[in-house]
Structures are given as C-alpha cells and as structure tokens.
Amino acid sequence: GSVTIGDDCSIWYGAVLRGDVGAIRIGNRVNIQDNAVLHATYQQSECIIGNDVSVGHGANVHGCIIGNDVIIGMGAIVMDNTVIPDGTIIAAGAVVPSGQKLEPGIWAGIAARKIKDGSEAIQAKAHANAEHYLLYKTWYE
C-alpha cells in the first residue's frame, strides 16, 4: 500500500500499517508500538501523523490527522476525519469518534472528552515520550 515513514521512526512487533485503501504518512521520530493498527477508509480519509508522536500498544488510528508531540494511549481508538492537534494526549482506552476537531489537552473516556487543558507541560511530556523511543529502537538495530 501507500505508506511513507519519516526519519528515526520505530514500528514495533505486530503493528499493522495498512495503506491499501488510503495513504499513511508518518513524520519523523514517531513510534508505532506493538499491535497498533493504522488504516483509512477508501476514498474518504488518509492517516497522517506528525513528528514526535507515540502511538501506544494496541491503539487503532483510522483515517485521521495527528499533529506533532502527541501521545495516542494504549488501546485508544481515533476514528476517520478527526484532527488531533499538537501537544495532545489521548488517554489509554479512549475513543475519539469520527469527525472531531479536538483542542490541545488531555482527552479520556468513551466518547473522549477533554479532562485537562493543553499546556507546555503536556506537550513536553508527549515530546519526551517520543524521545525515549529513539533510545529503545537502538537496542534492536
């Protein structure tokens, strides 16, 4: 399929980047953790991920746009045509329905709601998480 991966990225065991019906574009220093799935909907969406993003274990990222310095928590689901802005954390197990345009902050629950406003500290935490994976990937090179 149509999958583009930037520099210093890591794709972990069992992850699926299925670019068969819609493009997947991944920025730099992104980690896609074990058993995560990235996909899109035919002729309706693409999966676009910015820089310094962590997609947690078992997350489903489907046809959405994810900004820079973002964490998508373990088991979270982010659906088509949703926009996740820079400096945002989607909590483990959260579900972000289709067509959402979130504000920066921490989002949790089903359906996800903002539980904390965005801040430099949240953005720094997301950025630092991605930086850790730059080290982890060297253990397997």
Side-chain angles (χ1 to χ4, degrees):
S2 179
V3 177
T4 305
I5 301 172
D7 296 330
D8 288 325
C9 293
S10 55
I11 311 300
W12 293 87
Y13 306 100
V16 175
L17 283 63
R18 192 175 143 204
D20 58 342
V21 297
I24 297 172
R25 291 183 280 166
I26 297 173
N28 300 318
R29 299 170 306 279
V30 172
N31 60 89
I32 309 297
Q33 297 170 19
D34 313 69
N35 298 317
V37 175
L38 280 61
H39 195 235
T41 298
Y42 182 62
Q43 296 183 337
Q44 293 183 33
S45 62
E46 295 183 342
C47 186
I48 302 169
I49 298 178
N51 299 318
D52 303 296
V53 172
S54 297
V55 177
H57 313 290
N60 286 309
V61 176
H62 205 279
C64 57
I65 298 172
I66 297 174
N68 302 313
D69 298 316
V70 170
I71 296 173
I72 305 298
M74 295 181 282
I77 299 171
V78 182
M79 292 303 298
D80 291 277
N81 302 308
T82 288
V83 177
I84 308 294
D86 295 354
T88 297
I89 295 174
I90 305 300
V95 176
V96 183
S98 297
Q100 304 298 302
K101 299 210 182 336
L102 304 186
E103 299 172 359
I106 299 177
W107 293 74
I110 303 172
R113 61 182 176 76
K114 188 166 64 168
I115 61 169
K116 189 167 186 178
D117 288 334
S119 67
E120 288 181 19
I122 290 170
Q123 187 156 358
K125 179 177 179 154
H127 186 87
N129 192 80
E131 281 186 332
H132 295 309
Y133 275 83
L134 294 175
L135 170 64
Y136 304 158
K137 77 181 187 72
T138 67
W139 299 342
Y140 299 91
E141 292 178 338

